[in-house]
Amino acid sequence: MRRNMKQMAREIIDSPRRRAVPVLTSPGIEWIGAKPREVFQDGALQFRCIEALAAETPSDMLVTFMDLSVEAEAFGAPVCYSDYENPTIAGKIVSSAEEVAALAVPEVGAGRTGEVLHCAEQCGRHLDRPVLGGMIGPFSLAGRLADMTEMMILAAAEPETALALLEKTSDFLAKYALALREAGVNGLLIAEPAAGLLSPEMCAQFSAAYLQRIVAAVQDDEFMVVLHNCGNAAGAQIPELLSAGAAALHLGNATDLAKAGAQIPREVLLMGNVDPVGTLKEGTPELVYDRTASLLREMADYPNYVLSTGCDVPPGVSRENIRAFFRALEDYNRSVHGTNRCG
């Protein structure tokens, strides 16, 4: 279902009520009685997980799976599946300029990208609130094709080879982003965690420049791009992240969110960053509540702030902890703004 996402962003900024967009899909795997190995290979099962999340929580936007192996697999990278965790890439497929030159850019729909598009179509057709599709960023994808350490070496020592690989990853991702949009989701959460390893100058050259192309290809009033960065982005890297042009930045729990907020324009949404493992998975409901409430108080001066997790929540998070997360938001909204709504 098409929505005016630019208007929604303005409403978030102008309203005193805080919103929540946690990256929370994986707990739905257990809720539907499935295993990660099954769900990550089946778009219909992925939709059932997101549908269960929609029924269980008042998230203001839903997010499809943040599976950072999908696009690399489409290029031909081997994948390891697990009954307990997200899939992982098992080995690199390029290591030289000659191999990069010979690497074929896959068609959209190759491998499991077709399953992701099926899930996106079902989300757009059947769910009652905006949905963000999940996609890897160009530098992080290149790191999965060439090995992350090798990609860092290429960027420093053989930048022409690194840039040639990025031309191919960004070309595919721009087409994939358009296909996800056409499938019916309302935006993209682009995960570019590897960019957090780069200096600001290298981030601009090897990540932000290519992200700009993808954002420009799909973002408009009806389609929002959210850029996720896992690194400690509160320092000099913020201008590079902003230069990509995304409507929102989603920052990981390594970042001091208040310091980051001071550098982000009011019109750009800032999302984050409750620890998905140390707090939501391993903590008690009381700890989840306290840390979520503390973060909300810390971000009280930033009207563009949206409560979220620092990254995708792994399988195995209890319903009680998820409820504590939303209860903290509900209580905060009630106490500060006189409302009992959190969704």
Side-chain angles (χ1 to χ4, degrees):
M1 180 186 299
R2 294 298 178 200
R3 292 176 169 87
N4 191 321
M5 299 301 289
K6 190 171 185 178
Q7 180 180 338
M8 182 178 184
R10 285 196 299 265
E11 290 171 354
I12 289 171
I13 294 166
D14 293 340
S15 171
R17 183 172 68 91
R18 290 299 192 201
R19 310 294 181 95
V21 185
V23 188
L24 199 59
T25 316
S26 287
I29 295 173
E30 294 177 13
W31 298 358
I32 68 167
K35 295 285 188 182
R37 181 188 302 274
E38 302 166 334
V39 170
F40 284 104
Q41 298 183 74
D42 189 326
L45 286 178
Q46 291 172 29
F47 170 70
R48 284 183 56 199
C49 293
I50 300 164
E51 187 179 40
L53 180 71
E56 184 87 12
T57 74
S59 294
D60 288 277
M61 286 186 253
L62 300 163
V63 184
T64 65
F65 281 87
M66 191 185 284
D67 176 0
L68 304 188
S69 69
V70 167
E71 298 88 351
E73 185 185 43
F75 272 88
V79 175
C80 288
Y81 296 96
S82 167
D83 285 336
Y84 307 101
E85 299 175 335
N86 289 11
T88 56
I89 297 300
K92 64 183 179 181
I93 59 171
V94 293
S95 58
S96 66
E98 293 76 18
E99 289 174 342
V100 169
L103 182 67
V105 177
E107 295 294 324
V108 171
R112 289 178 294 130
T113 62
E115 297 299 324
V116 175
L117 290 169
H118 175 71
C119 174
E121 180 183 11
Q122 294 301 302
C123 288
R125 183 177 299 175
H126 297 295
L127 297 180
D128 63 351
R129 68 201 80 168
V131 179
L132 301 175
M135 190 180 82
I136 198 171
F139 186 76
S140 299
L141 175 55
R144 280 158 174 76
L145 299 178
D147 178 81
M148 197 65 253
T149 300
E150 292 298 321
M151 186 61 188
M152 295 293 291
I153 293 171
L154 285 175
E158 298 183 44
E160 298 85 359
T161 302
L163 293 172
L165 181 55
L166 287 165
E167 288 291 334
K168 295 193 173 187
T169 60
S170 60
D171 176 50
F172 173 74
L173 291 174
K175 295 173 183 175
Y176 187 37
L178 285 166
L180 284 163
R181 175 182 169 131
E182 289 303 310
V185 293
N186 308 101
L188 281 179
L189 176 62
I190 301 180
E192 184 74 309
L197 302 172
L198 298 170
S199 68
E201 296 77 15
M202 293 182 76
C203 180
Q205 182 181 12
F206 293 100
S207 177
Y210 294 94
L211 286 164
Q212 288 171 11
R213 300 183 190 179
I214 298 168
V215 173
V218 294
Q219 183 169 267
D220 60 15
D221 288 0
E222 293 187 339
F223 199 82
M224 169 188 290
V225 177
V226 180
L227 175 58
H228 168 75
N229 183 294
C230 274
N232 185 359
Q237 209 178 60
I238 289 290
E240 280 66 43
L241 300 180
L242 290 170
S243 73
L249 295 185
H250 187 283
L251 301 182
N253 45 284
T255 296
D256 183 323
L257 216 56
K259 288 183 180 179
Q263 302 176 66
I264 295 173
R266 185 178 187 272
E267 65 271 15
V268 177
L269 297 180
L270 171 59
M271 301 179 177
N273 68 351
V274 175
D275 186 344
V277 177
T279 297
L280 275 164
K281 183 169 183 176
E282 298 176 354
T284 63
E286 293 76 18
L287 180 68
V288 173
Y289 181 96
D290 289 345
R291 290 187 177 173
T292 304
S294 176
L295 181 59
L296 286 162
R297 292 192 297 269
E298 183 181 350
M299 299 303 293
D301 293 335
Y302 299 97
N304 56 338
Y305 173 63
V306 176
L307 178 66
S308 186
T309 51
C311 196
D312 58 323
V313 173
V317 175
S318 70
R319 276 183 165 89
E320 290 76 14
N321 282 5
I322 293 171
R323 289 168 183 155
F325 173 92
F326 285 104
R327 190 169 68 252
L329 175 63
E330 181 179 1
D331 288 349
Y332 177 86
N333 280 335
R334 183 186 298 115
S335 65
V336 177
H337 305 301
T339 176
N340 62 3
R341 296 173 58 204
C342 69

